[in-house]
Amino acid sequence: MTSQFYANELIIDDDYEVAHRDSLMGMARGYDPSSVDLSIYGMMNPPSQIQIIPRSEWSDRIREKERTKSRLSDLLLRADIPSMNQASDGYCWAYSTVGCLQVVREFNGLPFIPLNPHSVAATIKRGANQGGWCGLSGRFVMERGVAPMGTGESEWPELSRDYQRHEPRCRERMKQFLATEGWIDLGLRDYEQAMSFDMVASCLLSNIPCALDFDWWRHSVMGLDLVETGRNAFGIRIRNSWGNGWGEKGFSILAGSKAIPNGAIGLRAMRGVAA
């Protein structure tokens, strides 16, 4: 038995990635694995507080979420929250993290306020169009927050890389949107924030969205749902940051080896600002 997929979702597995590699890689913007020492992966101590859900329970939990339409993707579709679009800037590593915060707000019943990942990435990179990792943006939103989208003095215009907007009023506003709980080890470097597939799966089954980095894609995306792609085979429903025109309103499935992230953080709570 397989999961219920949306009508136009891409199923990106090993075969699909080989056949469409040029288009997938041509659109990948922002993740920078070039300076990562890959030998560190698998050597970090996993976040000890994550309660790993046994694989024997995954299928039943997935079926129940589908039956009750309680998947994180269902939540976003009901609220009609569009897929973010990073356009031509290499800031996917901030869009994946801030996208998780938007999900956390919706899950906790807070009004929709569009948050601007550019406020995170442009501040970190001082306006430069440079890549990074979800661990880098994750650390920032826990320490300094994220600005809402807008043109007011305490807001951040869409796609603006003008880091000088990060002035006192904007800084104070960003603190109202701090991530307060999540699976990120602040004792590790930003590119060491790796979690196993079972850790990520347990987070998703517990309604905790994850920002996921993939070396093969040179891209970072938001992970939302664990899905079943075949008998004892599981993948991840993601939401990309290339707008509603990609996949099914930004949703698609990563399967097989393509679903195993090289970097991952989970965000489960943030400061509750109503407006």
Side-chain angles (χ1 to χ4, degrees):
M1 179 176 287
T2 61
S3 290
Q4 299 172 7
F5 299 145
Y6 298 125
N8 297 314
E9 284 189 298
L10 303 174
I11 310 297
I12 303 174
D13 55 15
D14 295 315
D15 292 335
Y16 184 94
E17 193 263 329
V18 169
H20 299 273
R21 185 172 179 82
D22 288 345
S23 61
L24 284 172
M25 297 303 289
M27 296 180 69
R29 297 185 290 272
Y31 175 53
D32 182 12
S34 59
S35 61
V36 177
D37 177 3
L38 294 181
S39 66
I40 64 172
Y41 288 123
M43 296 176 62
M44 66 173 282
N45 293 323
S48 59
Q49 294 180 330
I50 291 181
Q51 297 297 312
I52 300 298
I53 296 173
R55 287 195 173 219
S56 60
E57 298 181 14
W58 287 7
S59 292
D60 288 342
R61 289 181 180 243
I62 291 171
R63 296 286 90 72
E64 178 64 14
K65 281 182 169 290
E66 292 176 346
R67 185 186 69 80
T68 58
K69 295 190 179 301
S70 58
R71 299 168 294 185
L72 292 177
S73 59
D74 294 323
L75 188 74
L76 293 177
L77 287 170
R78 279 196 299 272
D80 198 24
I81 295 177
S83 178
M84 292 181 171
N85 194 340
Q86 68 187 85
S88 61
D89 288 337
Y91 289 165
C92 63
W93 49 278
Y95 275 73
S96 58
T97 298
V98 174
C100 290
L101 293 183
Q102 295 278 196
V103 175
V104 169
R105 283 186 60 84
E106 188 63 29
F107 185 77
N108 286 284
L110 295 169
F112 175 68
I113 298 174
L115 303 177
N116 195 339
H118 264 64
S119 68
V120 175
T123 301
I124 293 172
K125 297 296 184 177
R126 297 182 65 83
N129 186 5
Q130 295 177 345
W133 310 276
C134 66
L136 178 60
S137 58
R139 190 185 304 268
F140 185 97
V141 298
M142 286 187 166
E143 295 174 350
R144 301 166 73 175
V146 55
M149 195 90 70
T151 57
E153 290 185 1
S154 64
E155 299 170 326
W156 200 286
E158 186 177 12
L159 301 178
S160 173
R161 289 193 277 119
D162 179 12
Y163 70 94
Q164 293 181 342
R165 289 192 65 86
H166 193 243
E167 52 86 44
R169 287 190 184 183
C170 189
R171 287 199 298 270
E172 289 305 309
R173 181 68 165 148
M174 291 173 78
K175 290 178 182 177
Q176 295 180 333
F177 299 95
L178 284 170
T180 57
E181 292 183 43
W183 304 124
I184 178 171
D185 191 333
L186 297 178
L188 296 175
R189 290 169 291 184
D190 299 319
Y191 56 80
E192 294 177 324
Q193 300 296 331
M195 294 197 297
S196 70
F197 185 85
D198 286 39
M199 290 177 184
V200 172
S202 297
C203 285
L204 301 183
L205 288 172
S206 302
N207 296 319
I208 299 171
C210 295
L212 308 173
D213 294 341
F214 294 95
D215 281 358
W216 69 266
W217 205 354
R218 298 196 65 171
H219 196 42
S220 186
V221 293
M222 175 173 53
L224 292 172
D225 308 323
L226 185 68
V227 299
E228 194 163 12
T229 57
R231 184 175 178 82
N232 296 319
F234 299 90
I236 295 174
R237 173 173 286 113
I238 63 166
R239 200 172 207 192
N240 210 340
S241 53
W242 296 344
N244 267 18
W246 187 85
E248 173 68 20
K249 296 184 178 180
F251 298 109
S252 278
I253 304 297
L254 298 184
S257 68
K258 296 298 173 282
I260 300 174
N262 299 98
I265 63 171
L267 296 172
R268 66 178 185 177
M270 67 179 298
R271 188 165 288 177
V273 178

